[in-house]
Amino acid sequence: GRIPFLYDFMEQNSIDPEVIINYSDNYHNFLIKMKESLPAISDYNLSVLNMLSKEILNGKRIHEAVLIEALLHNSVISKENLIQTLKNHGTYVDDTTIQSIENIFTLKFHVQKDIKKYKAKPLIDITNGYYQLNEEIKGSLENSHFSTFIKDILKCAFEKSKRYDRTKAFTLYKKYSRRDACRLLNWPHDDSSTIYGYRAKHKTCPIFVTYHKQDEVETTQNYSDEFLAPDLFKWYTRNRLTIDSPEVKNILSYKETGMDIHLFIKKDDG
């Protein structure tokens, strides 16, 4: 026998790989915690596994996995080649999404805590419309142990992506975090910490609602958001805003302004 890969757990309908990643940041760390004997991996390469596990494995956007897979087979690829490869995968492609992918790998998207976790070193170098992995990763790919972990992450990402509609950023009834919303709406930075109930920004407006609020929630924050029908939702803006507030006007005129509004609801905080 052999040590199972993350993809094996998926194939056997066993534990979700994301549970393992949430516990140990990457699968190598998890196996070490389980007292498995493994070849050593450098601190930087562990940070690469951390990033790919957090950013790619969930399959919510397949674009990053497509780029990494392409760079495992080709030392350099052009932006035009990437766009065509994405189209071949049947997924949506536009300039802002391409920029978002670049921001993920150059670390421009991330908050300082994550940048530090990823060793403040962009995974991908971009020069004159061409992409390539940074030199340290290129050299490390000769370590079959390291490259096997990366390929395992990619296999999981592609398998998980089958649960989502690749033709659009979000799939109805799937679960997304505030951070997911920032990334999938192509925001240039991770502003999830400043999204409380909602945030109108970059011609988008993600709205997050807790349907059953806890008893101790302050009266000023205990909004009576509710479904009036399966396709009709009553929603309250922030306290002290009126129908004439610029923020409210901006949301109400979404058809004219082209604002992209998405509603995310969770049952409760339990």
Side-chain angles (χ1 to χ4, degrees):
R2 61 167 174 80
I3 297 171
F5 296 117
L6 288 173
Y7 185 74
D8 293 323
F9 294 117
M10 293 189 67
E11 212 168 31
Q12 298 300 319
N13 293 313
S14 180
I15 188 170
D16 187 332
E18 288 182 66
V19 173
I20 295 174
I21 298 308
N22 289 337
Y23 172 69
S24 60
D25 290 333
N26 66 69
Y27 191 43
H28 180 276
N29 284 351
F30 177 79
L31 292 175
I32 294 297
K33 288 179 180 179
M34 295 299 106
K35 309 299 183 184
E36 295 288 350
S37 179
L38 300 173
I41 289 182
S42 71
D43 284 347
Y44 176 68
N45 286 345
L46 286 174
S47 77
V48 172
L49 295 180
N50 288 345
M51 182 187 182
L52 298 180
S53 298
K54 180 178 180 180
E55 308 295 339
I56 289 180
L57 186 142
N58 62 41
K60 292 176 183 178
R61 184 167 75 183
I62 202 61
H63 301 60
E64 286 87 349
V66 169
L67 177 54
I68 293 295
E69 184 185 55
L71 290 173
L72 291 182
H73 294 99
N74 306 276
S75 59
V76 180
I77 71 165
S78 67
K79 183 179 291 188
E80 290 75 18
N81 191 318
L82 171 62
I83 290 170
Q84 186 56 55
T85 304
L86 289 169
K87 289 179 179 178
N88 293 344
H89 277 271
T91 193
Y92 63 96
V93 190
D94 54 58
D95 289 342
T96 53
T97 302
I98 293 295
Q99 183 61 59
S100 175
I101 300 166
E102 294 178 357
N103 289 343
I104 293 292
F105 288 123
T106 59
L107 307 186
K108 291 179 181 177
F109 172 79
H110 305 284
V111 296
Q112 200 58 44
K113 173 175 68 71
D114 287 337
I115 291 174
K116 185 176 180 181
K117 186 176 180 180
Y118 302 152
K119 304 299 184 187
K121 188 171 185 177
L123 271 70
I124 289 177
D125 296 326
I126 306 170
T127 307
N128 298 324
Y130 285 86
Y131 305 101
Q132 59 180 324
L133 294 168
N134 72 44
E135 291 301 323
E136 189 164 351
I137 295 175
K138 279 184 183 179
S140 298
L141 288 175
E142 296 175 7
N143 177 336
S144 61
H145 182 61
F146 175 60
S147 62
T148 296
F149 277 115
I150 292 180
K151 291 171 185 175
D152 187 34
I153 292 167
L154 294 178
K155 282 185 74 173
C156 291
F158 283 117
E159 186 62 30
K160 278 177 166 283
S161 75
K162 294 175 183 177
R163 305 171 187 177
Y164 298 91
D165 183 349
R166 292 188 183 184
T167 65
K168 56 187 70 173
F170 298 99
T171 302
L172 276 177
Y173 316 120
K174 293 297 184 183
K175 195 179 292 186
Y176 298 94
S177 67
R178 287 169 170 78
R179 189 176 186 279
D180 290 332
C182 292
R183 174 180 165 227
L184 299 178
L185 288 171
N186 297 329
W187 287 14
H189 306 288
D190 174 8
D191 292 323
S192 55
S193 64
T194 64
I195 304 175
Y196 301 106
Y198 65 99
R199 187 82 186 270
K201 196 171 186 180
H202 308 301
K203 295 188 73 174
T204 65
C205 184
I207 300 170
F208 289 84
V209 173
T210 301
Y211 203 71
H212 298 300
K213 296 172 177 61
Q214 296 176 341
D215 294 337
E216 60 268 22
V217 171
E218 293 180 23
T219 304
T220 56
Q221 297 177 2
N222 196 4
Y223 307 118
S224 301
D225 304 315
E226 62 177 329
F227 277 105
L228 302 178
D231 59 352
L232 183 63
F233 191 78
K234 182 173 73 174
W235 171 70
Y236 286 79
T237 61
R238 270 182 269 274
N239 190 28
R240 294 190 294 276
L241 292 181
T242 72
I243 205 76
D244 294 318
S245 299
E247 181 179 282
V248 177
K249 284 184 174 181
N250 195 22
I251 293 171
L252 289 175
S253 61
Y254 73 97
K255 288 184 179 179
E256 291 75 26
T257 62
M259 176 174 282
D260 192 15
I261 298 177
H262 293 272
L263 176 63
F264 303 89
I265 299 177
K266 66 176 178 177
K267 184 178 178 182
D268 51 47
D269 285 322

